[in-house]
Amino acid sequence: MKLWIKYIIGIVLGIIAGLILPTDSPAVGAVITAIQDFFVRFGRYTLLPLLLFGVSNAVYKLRSYKMIPKTSFWTAVVIVGSTVIVTVVGMISLLLVTLPRIPITAEKVTEVMTIDIKSLIMQLFPYSSFEVILGETFLLPVFIFAGFVGGGCTTDETASRPVIALLLSAYRLFYSIMSFFVDWLSVGMIAIAAYWMMGIKAAVSVGTFFPLALLLLVDFILIVCLIYPLILRFLCKDHRPWHVLYASICPILAAFFSGDANLSLQINWRHGRESLGVHSRISGVTFPLFSIFGRGGAALTAAICFEIVLHSYSPLGLKLFDVLWIFVMSFVLSFVLGGIPAGAPYVLLTVLCTAYSRGFDTGYLLLRPVAPLFCSFAAAIDAASAMFGSYIVGVKTQRIEHIDIKHYI
């Protein structure tokens, strides 16, 4: 059975459970939350060792074949380009469509979420390099450490031969273990989908946020089903761009219902290699970098939600300054969300409201009930961007082996 079919079965069962179970009961809600948290941990369990050895092995091979400049160039271009495209789509959406105002509430602020850039920078180089292996959410320190290990192996390949063999063997081992966990996560999607349904049930029942959900759905379809395939068609001369979308079904589903970039990273990684045929030296670098920096979906959703906040507080339309400010802030801040794998769009919305000030400091509270929904769309768009982007890098570096679609996992 195809992996995406297993995930769909688990998701459907989870949604049904979320609809029929008395989730308003504290006891039932606590059980679903606990099981969901367990399976999120289960899904992330093999990520750090896979990242450590996968990136080390990839960087070693890229440097040995003198491919780091070309791979780095195309990866950076695709990450920045996809973020620009997705953010622009969001800006066009909020200019063309005026969403209804959200009733102002008297809810008070309990805790203001921020993006601590200084802390993120300090985490890149802790006092001991072995501390990066103990990280939980921010993957960039592990990526940097693994890059140094892989690059260092090329300085003296004769002396490093045992280490190189260890890196390759460990990568293959943890990739196999990761595949096992990805397979069984389909069972965990029952609890993850039930928890997601429990989170949005109240918001959906009101109906106030339905136009926002519809707009995000249209943007998602436009980006993933039209814009990205067209880019593949013209940039890669690919006459079958839809096969990348087919390979992205499972990662998109996992990302949408979990809202977790780190959880969907391993699923993306496996599909990129076993379905699209992206070589390990490319996938071992591109997928982690997309998970850390490629957060255009968060920029899109935060920009649209921030416009709703402005419109709810003031009937005046957006001025040119507001449009440019929202675009620049959403675009730039999306690159520092790597330490927030889940809930990043809501954190970005909080930062936008706080930075804009003018009486909108707490405007993000208006959209807190529907935060799981727009975070889901953001994660799904980012997962698709990672899959399409890694495929483009693989084609441009000529490190891809096309696999017949009937053999996709």
Side-chain angles (χ1 to χ4, degrees):
M1 184 183 293
K2 298 292 184 181
L3 190 59
W4 64 271
I5 298 178
K6 297 178 183 178
Y7 273 66
I8 286 181
I9 293 174
I11 289 168
V12 170
L13 292 176
I15 291 176
I16 294 174
L19 289 173
I20 63 176
L21 290 177
T23 52
D24 294 335
S25 168
V28 174
V31 171
I32 294 178
T33 301
I35 298 176
Q36 181 266 350
D37 184 57
F38 171 81
F39 278 107
V40 168
R41 293 169 181 265
F42 180 89
R44 291 183 180 180
Y45 187 67
T46 59
L47 177 57
L48 288 186
L50 176 67
L51 188 67
L52 175 63
F53 294 108
V55 173
S56 299
N57 184 62
V59 171
Y60 163 72
K61 289 184 178 179
L62 289 174
R63 191 174 182 190
S64 297
Y65 289 95
K66 296 179 172 52
M67 289 182 57
I68 285 185
K70 187 175 183 180
T71 304
S72 300
F73 170 77
W74 277 109
T75 302
V77 167
V78 174
I79 288 178
V80 174
S82 63
T83 305
V84 170
I85 291 171
V86 173
T87 308
V88 167
V89 171
M91 299 306 299
I92 294 175
S93 298
L94 60 89
L95 289 175
L96 295 180
V97 180
T98 301
L99 295 175
R101 301 172 65 184
I102 306 297
I104 307 299
T105 63
E107 186 176 359
K108 295 182 179 180
V109 180
T110 55
E111 182 181 359
V112 178
M113 294 174 288
T114 60
I115 302 174
D116 192 347
I117 298 178
K118 178 183 176 181
S119 175
L120 294 177
I121 294 175
M122 292 302 177
Q123 290 180 48
L124 299 182
F125 296 97
Y127 289 109
S128 171
S129 56
F130 288 101
E131 291 182 24
V132 302
I133 305 175
L134 303 177
E136 294 184 0
T137 57
F138 193 30
L139 303 181
L140 187 55
V142 184
F143 185 94
I144 293 175
F145 176 70
F148 279 123
V149 172
C153 289
T154 61
T155 56
D156 187 348
E157 295 197 22
T158 302
S160 302
R161 194 169 297 160
V163 178
I164 296 170
L166 172 64
L167 292 177
L168 180 58
S169 299
Y171 167 65
R172 290 174 176 172
L173 170 64
F174 283 107
Y175 186 89
S176 299
I177 297 174
M178 177 271 288
S179 300
F180 170 82
F181 276 79
V182 168
D183 278 334
W184 281 98
L185 185 60
S186 59
V187 178
M189 291 305 297
I190 299 175
I192 292 173
Y195 178 82
W196 178 86
M197 195 68 211
M198 182 178 68
I200 70 162
K201 187 189 296 185
V204 172
S205 62
V206 175
T208 306
F209 303 105
F210 179 77
L212 171 62
L214 183 61
L215 178 61
L216 292 177
L217 177 61
V218 171
D219 283 348
F220 170 78
I221 295 174
L222 179 65
I223 293 168
V224 176
C225 300
L226 181 61
I227 295 177
Y228 282 171
L230 286 176
I231 291 175
L232 286 189
R233 178 67 180 85
F234 292 103
L235 186 62
C236 300
K237 308 300 181 184
D238 197 323
H239 296 282
R240 50 168 198 162
W242 301 104
H243 73 106
V244 181
L245 179 59
Y246 176 67
S248 305
I249 292 176
C250 192
I252 288 174
L253 290 174
F256 183 86
F257 287 96
S258 69
D260 195 310
N262 288 356
L263 181 70
S264 59
L265 167 57
Q266 297 177 97
I267 306 173
N268 255 333
W269 198 328
R270 186 179 175 192
H271 273 273
R273 179 180 170 182
E274 298 182 36
S275 294
L276 297 181
V278 181
H279 286 193
S280 59
R281 71 189 68 170
I282 301 299
S283 60
V285 171
T286 56
F287 284 117
L289 287 178
F290 265 99
S291 180
I292 297 168
F293 296 111
R295 310 299 287 276
L300 177 146
T301 54
I304 293 176
C305 291
F306 183 68
E307 191 277 334
I308 296 176
V309 171
L310 293 182
H311 180 63
S312 298
Y313 277 89
S314 173
L316 300 178
L318 289 176
K319 299 179 181 179
L320 178 61
F321 170 80
D322 296 324
V323 174
L324 294 177
W325 188 88
I326 295 172
F327 173 79
V328 172
M329 290 293 290
S330 301
F331 173 77
V332 173
L333 291 177
S334 70
F335 294 103
V336 294
L337 297 175
I340 313 172
Y346 188 66
V347 176
L348 181 53
L349 175 62
T350 303
V351 174
L352 291 178
C353 292
T354 305
Y356 191 79
S357 189
R358 305 183 189 181
F360 303 109
D361 305 58
T362 61
Y364 58 90
L365 294 174
L366 300 179
L367 294 167
R368 185 159 68 177
V370 78
L373 183 61
F374 66 76
C375 287
S376 293
F377 277 107
I381 292 173
D382 291 339
S385 298
M387 187 67 79
F388 278 91
S390 295
Y391 180 81
I392 291 173
V393 176
V395 171
K396 290 300 181 181
T397 56
Q398 298 179 345
R399 289 298 179 270
I400 195 166
E401 295 179 5
H402 295 288
I403 299 174
D404 193 286
I405 196 169
K406 66 182 180 181
H407 297 303
Y408 284 16
I409 60 174

